[in-house]
Amino acid sequence: MYMQRCIDLALQGAGRVAPNPMVGAVLVYQNRIIGEGYHTAYGAAHAEVEALRAVTPENRHLIPLSTLYVNLEPCAHRGKTPPCTNLILEHRIQTVVVGQTDPNPLVSGKGISILRAAGLDIHTGILEQACEQLNKRFNTYHRLKRPYIILKWAQTADGFIATENGRRESISDHTSQIILHQWRGQEQSILIGYRTALLDNPSLNVRLCKGNHPIRLVIDYENMLPRHLNLFDGSIPTYIFTTSSKRQHNDKILDKDRLYPSFMDELYKLSIQSVLVEGGAALHQQLVSEQLWDEARVFQSPMYLGAEQGVQAVSLKGSPAETHTLNKDKLLIYFNS
């Protein structure tokens, strides 16, 4: 019950805490929550700090007698804020329940070891699978040294994402468009290829809801995109990934002999933990072929393109893990497992 509350609290930081993980903390005395909090934004106080701050003056004497629940191992290193292990020891909390061990090598069991060495009673692995799922982006980044990659596209009932000339039709409905913009606000970055940038001239920002704009990423091997495109308006950090020597500001050079591995290396260096890939089809297909994807979200429209030829959507093996009925569209979700 209390670990689930940690997860629910942590989710309130979605889209604002990266590259930090989402963390919630709950302080419980005799089956009564006396303090709770979550990590609200990158650089802000950690969840353990917020939970202790929330304890009212009349309950502060109960802190050493309480159990601290936290979905991720307390940090043991100084980053933007001091180590949470120090805070726990300073408040003389004797019991700590942890959902998941931190995969960050700067922590990775050290927080738990420090607390155990100090004589605290530590319980681990509580709702571990749910805690892992909560921070799948953070976990993938530290374990695989690359971001969590989400493919997204909208397709017609006959499996097309665009007409033969590459022009995108209005396939998904307004409800689906709102959901897409919510996703943009939840992910750290958004990726497109050269052809999509040139044909659609997208802004790749959040417009239909409130949320942070993702970092814009574009693969342009020859560095040929004209700088008058919306992507270069200076409103959002934007990186161009190229193999060309015509390097410009913020451009990242890829290794021609290992294009996608070097692309992942660059994203790792930029501390980017999640990527929403919006197209086009060739980029989606390449990532699927390279096994560099974790999740695919497909808007399935009831409309038919009615064309003999067009741009076909990527074909994924197996049935979707989840199917959701929206307004007119269906949302199909696949996992690469």
Side-chain angles (χ1 to χ4, degrees):
M1 177 174 71
Y2 299 121
M3 188 59 69
Q4 184 60 54
R5 179 59 181 164
C6 290
I7 293 171
D8 294 341
L9 287 166
L11 278 168
Q12 296 182 53
R16 298 191 301 274
V17 302
N20 284 350
M22 292 180 281
V23 183
V26 176
L27 196 62
V28 180
Y29 174 74
Q30 293 187 351
N31 295 319
R32 177 169 63 93
I33 295 176
I34 63 171
E36 63 180 23
Y38 67 97
H39 186 36
T40 59
Y42 178 65
H46 286 190
E48 296 92 330
V49 176
E50 295 288 5
L52 286 163
R53 283 177 180 171
V55 180
T56 59
E58 61 269 23
N59 284 330
R60 297 200 71 79
H61 70 284
L62 300 176
I63 292 176
L65 306 173
S66 301
T67 297
L68 176 66
Y69 291 80
V70 59
N71 60 280
L72 189 72
E73 174 183 5
C75 64
H77 69 289
R78 176 177 287 274
K80 293 273 186 181
T81 60
C84 290
T85 49
N86 290 2
L87 184 72
I88 293 168
L89 294 175
E90 287 168 9
H91 283 81
R92 296 178 289 115
I93 297 170
Q94 293 302 303
T95 305
V96 179
V97 180
V98 177
Q100 178 205 325
T101 302
D102 194 327
N104 185 343
L106 293 173
V107 184
S108 192
K110 295 172 186 170
I112 291 172
S113 296
I114 288 171
L115 297 178
R116 279 187 171 144
L120 275 66
D121 185 16
I122 308 297
H123 302 269
T124 61
I126 310 303
L127 286 188
E128 186 171 19
Q129 187 173 356
C131 293
E132 290 266 354
Q133 178 66 17
L134 169 70
N135 278 309
K136 57 190 177 183
R137 298 159 182 83
F138 181 77
N139 294 332
T140 298
Y141 176 80
H142 286 290
R143 290 171 181 162
L144 300 182
K145 304 295 187 262
R146 67 161 176 81
Y148 187 86
I149 299 172
I150 303 168
L151 311 181
K152 170 270 161 187
W153 67 84
Q155 65 184 38
T156 62
D158 47 353
F160 292 101
I161 66 169
T163 58
E164 186 177 6
N165 62 10
R167 294 287 178 183
R168 295 197 182 196
E169 299 291 322
S170 180
I171 294 174
S172 55
D173 65 20
H174 187 63
T175 299
S176 298
Q177 288 297 315
I178 292 173
I179 292 172
L180 168 60
H181 281 254
Q182 290 172 343
W183 291 345
R184 287 181 177 181
Q186 293 167 359
E187 305 307 330
Q188 201 176 352
S189 69
I190 187 168
L191 169 67
I192 59 172
Y194 168 85
R195 187 171 171 80
T196 299
L198 193 62
L199 291 177
D200 295 351
N201 190 20
S203 296
L204 302 183
N205 56 13
V206 178
R207 300 185 301 278
L208 302 182
C209 63
K210 291 183 179 180
N212 293 333
H213 300 308
I215 298 168
R216 299 185 293 206
L217 313 173
V218 186
I219 294 181
D220 177 11
Y221 293 131
E222 302 302 322
N223 216 342
M224 296 289 288
L225 286 172
R227 262 31 187 186
H228 63 74
L229 295 177
N230 292 331
L231 292 168
F232 303 106
D233 62 9
S235 63
I236 303 170
T238 303
Y239 294 94
I240 304 300
F241 296 84
T242 181
T243 57
S244 170
S245 59
K246 296 187 299 181
R247 184 173 183 176
Q248 302 185 53
H249 180 64
N250 271 356
D251 290 354
K252 302 295 179 183
I253 306 299
L254 301 180
D255 185 340
K256 291 182 179 180
D257 296 326
R258 47 189 302 274
L259 284 173
Y260 282 88
S262 67
F263 178 47
M264 294 299 135
D265 291 344
E266 291 296 331
L267 295 182
Y268 183 77
K269 291 175 188 175
L270 290 168
S271 296
I272 291 176
Q273 295 185 0
S274 67
V275 182
L276 180 64
V277 188
E278 289 207 15
L283 178 56
H284 284 147
Q285 184 60 63
Q286 189 63 48
L287 290 170
V288 169
S289 298
E290 297 278 345
Q291 284 294 303
L292 289 172
W293 69 286
D294 299 286
E295 186 175 334
R297 302 173 182 176
V298 182
F299 291 115
Q300 175 78 64
S301 169
M303 70 174 285
Y304 283 82
L305 187 60
E308 292 184 2
Q309 292 185 331
V311 180
Q312 285 275 0
V314 175
S315 178
L316 298 174
K317 294 180 180 179
S319 302
E322 300 176 19
T323 301
H324 305 273
T325 300
L326 306 177
N327 183 15
K328 295 179 181 178
D329 299 338
K330 287 184 177 179
L331 173 59
L332 312 178
I333 299 180
Y334 299 81
F335 295 101
N336 185 19
S337 56

